[in-house]
Amino acid sequence: SAVISQKPSRDICQRGTSLTIQCQVDSQVTMMFWYRQQPGQSLTLIATANQGSEATYESGFVIDKFPISRPNLTFSTLTVSNMSPEDSSIYLCSVGTSGSDEQYFGPGTRLTVT
Amino acid sequence: KQEVTQIPAALSVPEGENLVLNCSFTDSAIYNLQWFRQDPGKGLTSLLLIQSSQREQTSGRLNASLDKSSGRSTLYIAASQPGDSATYLCAVIPPKGTGNQFYFGTGTSLTVIP
């Protein structure tokens, strides 16, 4: 398994601002993913963070709104840009390790936009 | 598109009772299925991974079964304890090469009453 940490754990932000969420893994991993969980909803994949290239975004999510960086095999960031109250969610980082089909999740970042 | 449903949405049982959580999915062409636990405001903890060639997996008091042909999985919790109170999510993992999207159900919120 992998141990994943996220910063910040929670934040309250004003409309129109941006927040960058960090995800750190204790070992090198091939795959890193960013999910969103809106209130009362299940998880939806935002994008796959690719090391050394642009992230791969799922339908309904765009790079201008959710820019992602992945500078190495243990770290990634997700930025939520020009926030609105609809962006209030828990944002979760997850990883997949080589040789395992499981995904492991970080503790999440609870974002509230006022 | 794969759709995952979990029934019931909420369940309340007295301590010590055995219980079953249900997960159904519309497309039987899955790779694996994973059960998670989510505590309020927190990230996801992986409980069990069932590969498509398996019919069940066991870990302690938990037993998960998979019937691909009928599009169903169940999570059996024996001798429930108050510490089992959480939301339980199932996620269907698509076949390799078809994308990274895990398809999550909306979860079953379990309360175990002391």
Side-chain angles (χ1 to χ4, degrees):
Chain A
S1 65
V3 177
I4 305 164
S5 60
Q6 284 186 234
K7 289 181 182 179
S9 58
R10 58 174 59 218
D11 207 342
I12 301 173
C13 301
Q14 290 194 340
R15 180 195 298 262
T17 63
S18 298
L19 175 72
T20 296
I21 303 168
Q22 299 180 3
C23 177
Q24 179 75 53
V25 191
D26 68 341
S27 59
Q28 294 187 344
V29 294
T30 308
M31 312 287 278
M32 293 184 79
F33 309 96
W34 287 98
Y35 284 83
R36 180 175 74 180
Q37 185 178 29
Q38 294 177 299
Q41 305 288 318
S42 193
L43 280 75
T44 301
L45 181 64
I46 298 172
T48 301
N50 301 309
Q51 196 268 328
S53 64
E54 272 194 8
T56 305
Y57 289 84
E58 298 296 316
S59 175
F61 298 97
V62 295
I63 188 171
D64 289 347
K65 176 66 176 176
F66 297 102
I68 287 171
S69 78
R70 184 159 180 208
N72 56 53
L73 293 175
T74 64
F75 186 79
S76 178
T77 67
L78 168 75
T79 299
V80 186
S81 303
N82 188 25
M83 288 183 286
S84 66
E86 292 72 33
D87 294 320
S88 297
S89 297
I90 298 175
Y91 291 85
L92 296 123
C93 168
S94 80
V95 304
T97 59
S98 59
S100 170
D101 298 317
E102 292 184 69
Q103 281 196 12
Y104 302 95
F105 283 78
T109 295
R110 179 179 287 273
L111 170 62
T112 302
V113 184
T114 60
Chain B
K1 179 189 171 185
Q2 180 75 266
E3 292 185 6
V4 183
T5 305
Q6 289 186 248
I7 294 174
L11 181 63
S12 183
V13 300
E15 181 177 2
E17 200 163 286
N18 302 325
L19 59 101
V20 175
L21 308 180
N22 297 294
C23 172
S24 60
F25 45 94
T26 54
D27 187 349
S28 63
I30 71 171
Y31 186 59
N32 295 323
L33 187 142
Q34 194 167 355
W35 281 93
F36 295 89
R37 166 189 174 134
Q38 185 175 31
D39 292 284
K42 302 296 179 79
L44 276 64
T45 300
S46 177
L47 297 174
L48 289 165
L49 172 76
I50 310 176
Q51 299 192 356
S52 59
S53 58
Q54 298 174 316
R55 292 194 63 85
E56 65 179 287
Q57 277 283 353
T58 298
S59 175
R61 294 183 293 110
L62 306 179
N63 176 277
S65 68
L66 174 63
D67 184 344
K68 281 179 54 180
S69 61
S70 66
R72 293 183 183 176
S73 177
T74 62
L75 179 66
Y76 175 84
I77 302 177
S80 58
Q81 303 171 358
D84 295 331
S85 298
T87 295
Y88 291 80
L89 296 160
C90 68
V92 169
I93 304 166
K96 295 284 192 187
T98 61
N100 297 317
Q101 176 76 273
F102 273 34
Y103 294 96
F104 281 85
T106 50
T108 294
S109 177
L110 173 66
T111 302
V112 180
I113 303 166

